[in-house]
Amino acid sequence: MLKLTNIKKTFYPGTVNEKAALRGISLTVNDGDFATIIGSNGAGKSTLFNAIAGSFFVDEGVVELDGKDITYMPEYKRALEIGRLFQDPMKGTAPHMTIEENLALAYMRVKQENALFARINNKQRKIFREKLALLDMGLEDRMKQPVGLLSGGQRQALTLLMATLVAPKILLLDEHTAALDPGTADKVIELTKNIVRENHLACLMITHNMHSALELGNRTLMMDAGRIVLDISGQEREGLTVEGLLQKFSADTGKELDNDRILLSGVE
């Protein structure tokens, strides 16, 4: 479970470039929650992820993971418990290392083992092969090939597997299908849903697609100007249309959403 209490972050305070990026965010994400996050550029979505992952320390507030205060825990230590994917498929994997070595790196990092890559044992290799087979991309037969030879979709699927090889306490997905073609994006989304469900993970997923924000998972958050202005789940979310979501946004913020990328995603 992730719990944020009154999280605040201001960049360049006291200068002409001062930017209040997070303005008192409080949020609880329980195990099994799959919450989508939508909002305009600059709304604070990626900044929120950076605060959770420890890319910077917040100015005020508390970050808790499974009841443990991690507010001032460094990023490299949080990475043992937090899985994260970025929009760019080239991030998250080492291109000159093989598929097997990338998986070993992820496994050893989380397990905090110090074994060398040359000492990958048969048990680990069997685990890697079984997990790769679930991707249905034939990667289990290419374990000795460099990751740099894979397509963007294959690399993103591999990164997703690496982030969840040992189930994290929370999974952060920052538009992880935005750079993929529609067919590959759909496949990665299905993999995401299966992994989250089977491991009963707490998951936050940033998206600019309003239909995805309402259809995926069990909860939809909408951010604006560093705040969570909508948190919709249960019966309120069931049957809610894109138009209805926009109306709720307008009613809560007193303004219309003006982000073309998001609005165009709402057009069938």
Side-chain angles (χ1 to χ4, degrees):
M1 181 182 77
L2 173 73
K3 184 177 181 181
L4 308 179
T5 305
N6 196 33
I7 295 298
K8 296 181 181 179
K9 181 64 180 180
T10 298
F11 294 106
Y12 313 113
T15 73
V16 294
N17 295 317
E18 181 173 313
K19 169 68 174 179
L22 300 176
R23 304 169 183 252
I25 287 184
S26 293
L27 173 68
T28 298
V29 184
N30 294 309
D31 293 342
D33 269 351
F34 186 166
T36 56
I37 305 177
I38 197 163
S40 301
N41 291 333
K45 305 182 300 298
S46 292
T47 305
L48 175 63
F49 275 18
N50 287 335
I52 295 168
S55 301
F56 54 72
F57 292 150
V58 298
D59 299 332
E60 296 181 37
V62 178
V63 181
E64 296 175 86
L65 193 58
D66 275 3
K68 180 171 66 176
D69 188 341
I70 63 169
T71 310
Y72 298 107
M73 180 184 287
E75 184 174 19
Y76 76 92
K77 288 188 177 181
R78 296 192 203 189
L80 300 177
E81 301 179 331
I82 297 174
R84 188 174 185 182
L85 270 73
F86 297 88
Q87 179 175 338
D88 186 352
M90 301 301 107
K91 292 184 177 181
T93 51
H96 301 298
M97 294 169 59
T98 66
I99 294 174
E100 180 180 86
E101 289 170 342
N102 271 268
L103 288 169
L105 184 63
Y107 186 80
M108 293 171 188
R109 174 183 58 81
V110 177
K111 287 293 189 180
Q112 302 186 54
E113 297 177 357
N114 295 316
L116 299 174
F117 294 129
R119 294 172 59 189
I120 298 172
N121 59 45
N122 289 332
K123 180 181 178 181
Q124 291 169 341
R125 193 171 283 111
K126 181 181 179 181
I127 292 172
F128 300 160
R129 185 176 180 83
E130 290 173 350
K131 294 290 186 180
L132 286 168
L134 297 176
L135 302 181
D136 194 26
M137 292 181 171
L139 299 184
E140 67 274 15
D141 297 320
R142 301 172 60 184
M143 288 174 58
K144 298 296 185 180
Q145 290 189 2
V147 168
L149 297 179
L150 304 183
S151 68
Q154 289 171 329
R155 284 184 71 164
Q156 198 69 313
L158 178 61
T159 304
L160 177 62
L161 179 56
M162 290 170 62
T164 57
L165 190 60
V166 177
K169 292 183 178 178
I170 187 163
L171 181 62
L172 306 177
L173 307 173
D174 194 346
E175 293 194 83
H176 69 308
T177 62
L180 308 180
D181 65 83
T184 304
D186 288 345
K187 191 164 190 174
V188 171
I189 284 292
E190 282 303 311
L191 289 170
T192 303
K193 289 162 60 176
N194 291 338
I195 287 173
V196 171
R197 182 181 63 252
E198 290 169 5
N199 292 282
H200 198 59
L201 299 179
C203 178
L204 290 171
M205 187 185 87
I206 295 172
T207 179
H208 269 94
N209 188 298
M210 299 189 74
H211 290 290
S212 294
L214 291 173
E215 292 172 0
L216 291 174
N218 65 317
R219 187 173 173 189
T220 299
L221 309 177
M222 201 161 188
M223 293 188 67
D224 180 64
R227 296 186 178 92
I228 295 176
V229 295
L230 291 174
D231 186 349
I232 306 169
S233 60
Q235 291 186 345
E236 183 184 16
R237 188 175 185 260
E238 291 179 11
L240 183 64
T241 63
V242 170
E243 182 180 0
L245 182 61
L246 291 173
Q247 289 174 351
K248 284 182 175 292
F249 176 83
S250 180
D252 278 71
T253 63
K255 62 182 181 182
E256 302 293 328
L257 185 68
D258 60 358
N259 184 281
D260 289 342
R261 184 180 175 193
I262 294 178
L263 292 173
L264 288 172
S265 78
V267 178
E268 293 284 10

